[in-house]
Amino acid sequence: MTEQKKNSGRLGVWLVGARGAISTCVTYGLAGLVEGLIEPVGLCTETDSLKALELVGLEDIVLGGCDICTRSLAESAGELEQQGVLPSALVAATAASAAAYEARIVPGLLDQSEGAPVAADPESERLGALPVKEQIEAIGAALESFKEETGVTRVIVVNLASSEGQRETPDSWSSLAAFEAAVEAGEAQPSSVLYAYAALKAGYPFINFTPSAGSSIPALRELALERGVAHAGSDGKTGETLVKTVLAPMFSGRALKVLAWQGYNMLGNRDGQVLEDPGHKAAKLHNKDQVLRELLQDDELHTQVAIDLVPSLNDWKTAWDYIHFEGFLGAKMSLQFTWQGSDSALAAPLVLDLVRLVDEAANRGTAGALDHLACFFKAPLNGGTHDFHAQHDRLLTYAAKS
Ligand SMILES: NC(=O)c1ccc[n+]([C@@H]2O[C@H](COP(=O)([O-])OP(=O)(O)OC[C@H]3O[C@@H](n4cnc5c(N)ncnc54)[C@H](O)[C@@H]3O)[C@@H](O)[C@H]2O)c1
């Protein structure tokens, strides 16, 4: 009998926030790649440096997921077509696989404490109002149905849902026992945590692309280790923060003193609408601010990031950064950059990279937070440096040793 490779068979990828802008670009982009209609631009796992890894083939990825909205996938695609992000020819040519994916999207958990960021479907409202234990069971059952109906051999859950607001850390997050007792007692939990718990409990890796708590809390880190499951997060590093973590090490490397680093972001998509709320904005800004203070090793650094909603920009985020710095003889100088990028087009290939890399690590039997994937995140679960060059070297070293 021939020995089965651990990564044989198809991989199920279950997207939370399945009709959001990033998920929509993942869906049409993946179909386009598989059908040879687009090039793998922006996909790190298609570069020679990561080719040595035994990654699942793109054609072996089956997408499913959940959402709480009444908006159809076709409507999400239509928005992105209008904004010049998704090419209309690609949407038309991959309509059949998109329809098959849409049929695999089930209602999610509408988090009552978040309020609905979008028009929510009644079944998601019903599920979100159940006792927490039953919410977890509903997600567990949805994951099992997805696996059974698609015949995939393994599943990875990716959180691509709207960002949650910043909250006080409850005592129940400090250990798995305390968390499970709180669930039994019906203590409310953010939906990102419930999705992560259901995935890890079932033995499925979890990727948190959002700034929400997800699997980052101590209780779920413990669960991942106990169940021997890999997880990765948090908050994808796709644009302005990516540039910051490339540039900041340059100032340190040349012993130039950064006096101030101001950032101003404008965005107009649904993510921007959610971030209009001060609680949600705080979660995002925390991740953005931490990065520079750590990189420049200056807790007193004058750094601020502002985010404003500018609806007409849609998915095209614009970030302007002003860096005031001092050189030899006290000479004051400045560097400014402007980043204009389609947030969803930047994020979607990274989601595919993460899925393939987490699957590879899981197939090797790696459990817990994956530190070689830090270069993909603004707030890597294992901490460590935010220096993109060092983080990327870590990934290349991992790949070279395989
Ligand atoms: N695009 C980027 O560059 C980038 C970078 C880092 C992080 N992120 C994060 O990725 C996430 C997705 O971004 P997007 O632009 O696709 O947002 P989006 O608003 O277009 O999509 C989010 C989707 O999540 C759904 N949703 C909300 N609450 C849910 C719940 N409880 N369960 C299931 N579905 C739920 C919404 O209905 C929506 O369809 C956001 O949290 C964003 O902050 C994006």
Side-chain angles (χ1 to χ4, degrees):
M1 209 169 77
T2 42
E3 198 190 324
Q4 270 214 326
K5 271 199 280 165
K6 271 194 162 179
N7 70 350
S8 64
R10 293 180 308 155
L11 167 71
V13 174
W14 207 74
L15 305 175
V16 178
R19 297 192 197 95
I22 301 180
S23 294
T24 305
C25 288
V26 168
T27 308
Y28 287 92
L30 177 63
L33 286 166
V34 170
E35 292 177 31
L37 303 173
I38 57 168
E39 295 295 319
V41 180
L43 212 67
C44 309
T45 46
E46 287 295 302
T47 57
D48 286 344
S49 49
L50 297 184
K51 278 270 167 72
L53 292 169
E54 264 195 49
L55 301 172
V56 63
L58 292 170
E59 67 286 357
D60 286 328
I61 295 177
V62 181
L63 300 177
C66 74
D67 206 307
I68 60 164
C69 66
T70 51
R71 192 181 62 255
S72 69
L73 183 72
E75 284 175 78
S76 297
E79 289 174 1
L80 290 160
E81 271 182 82
Q82 271 194 346
Q83 295 168 17
V85 177
L86 264 182
S88 301
L90 174 67
V91 174
T94 56
S97 67
Y101 166 68
E102 172 80 297
R104 291 190 292 267
I105 300 176
V106 297
L109 307 173
L110 174 68
D111 194 333
Q112 310 291 326
S113 64
E114 287 290 315
V118 289
D121 82 273
E123 181 56 9
S124 296
E125 280 187 43
R126 189 190 71 80
L127 290 174
L130 291 173
V132 260
K133 197 174 168 199
E134 290 175 38
Q135 293 187 45
I136 293 170
E137 284 164 5
I139 295 306
L143 289 172
E144 287 321 304
S145 301
F146 169 60
K147 189 169 180 226
E148 213 168 282
E149 285 162 19
T150 54
V152 294
T153 55
R154 56 208 189 281
V155 174
I156 293 181
V157 176
V158 188
N159 184 17
L160 292 170
S162 316
S163 304
E164 290 165 354
Q166 217 174 29
R167 315 176 182 206
E168 297 275 306
T169 304
D171 293 343
S172 58
W173 286 3
S174 60
S175 72
L176 184 56
F179 179 79
E180 291 185 335
V183 166
E184 282 295 330
E187 185 186 285
Q189 302 289 342
S191 59
S192 70
V193 171
L194 299 181
Y195 289 121
Y197 181 84
L200 297 173
K201 190 77 181 168
Y204 300 146
F206 182 82
I207 300 169
N208 185 12
F209 203 80
T210 80
S212 310
S215 62
S216 69
I217 67 172
L220 297 201
R221 289 171 185 260
E222 203 181 317
L223 175 64
L225 290 173
E226 190 186 288
R227 298 281 292 122
V229 191
H231 62 131
S234 304
D235 203 0
K237 184 157 88 169
T238 54
E240 184 203 22
T241 310
L242 172 67
V243 181
K244 279 177 165 175
T245 61
V246 167
L247 279 182
M250 176 194 76
F251 289 98
S252 310
R254 280 280 186 263
L256 296 167
K257 184 173 168 48
V258 175
L259 304 167
W261 194 314
Q262 294 290 114
Y264 180 58
N265 292 217
M266 294 182 278
L267 72 166
N269 55 15
R270 264 186 308 276
D271 191 24
Q273 284 166 25
V274 171
L275 295 177
E276 271 286 273
D277 171 72
H280 293 74
K281 196 180 286 191
K284 197 71 161 185
L285 293 182
H286 175 77
N287 290 345
K288 282 177 171 270
D289 279 354
Q290 270 310 103
V291 165
L292 279 180
R293 294 212 169 89
E294 185 273 328
L295 276 175
L296 297 168
Q297 296 192 342
D298 180 359
D299 286 342
E300 304 301 311
L301 177 71
H302 182 92
T303 177
Q304 285 166 338
V305 187
I307 306 180
D308 276 335
L309 177 72
V310 181
S312 63
L313 288 178
N314 296 317
D315 198 52
W316 297 87
K317 204 246 288 297
T318 298
W320 171 69
D321 275 47
Y322 183 98
I323 306 144
H324 195 206
F325 66 98
E326 185 181 317
F328 196 45
L329 309 173
K332 301 258 178 26
M333 300 169 245
S334 69
L335 166 70
Q336 298 174 48
F337 71 81
T338 309
W339 172 271
Q340 287 173 295
S342 154
D343 254 4
S344 310
L346 287 162
L350 300 186
V351 172
L352 292 173
D353 282 333
L354 281 164
V355 160
R356 298 174 99 187
L357 290 165
V358 169
D359 181 52
E360 189 272 346
N363 291 330
R364 285 192 197 194
T366 316
L370 300 176
D371 63 358
H372 63 283
L373 302 184
C375 64
F376 291 97
F377 296 108
K378 287 193 204 64
L381 288 181
N382 281 348
T385 179
H386 285 289
D387 178 341
F388 178 78
H389 311 278
Q391 291 174 329
H392 193 238
D393 281 351
R394 170 82 185 84
L395 176 61
L396 298 185
T397 306
Y398 173 90
K401 278 194 191 151
S402 66

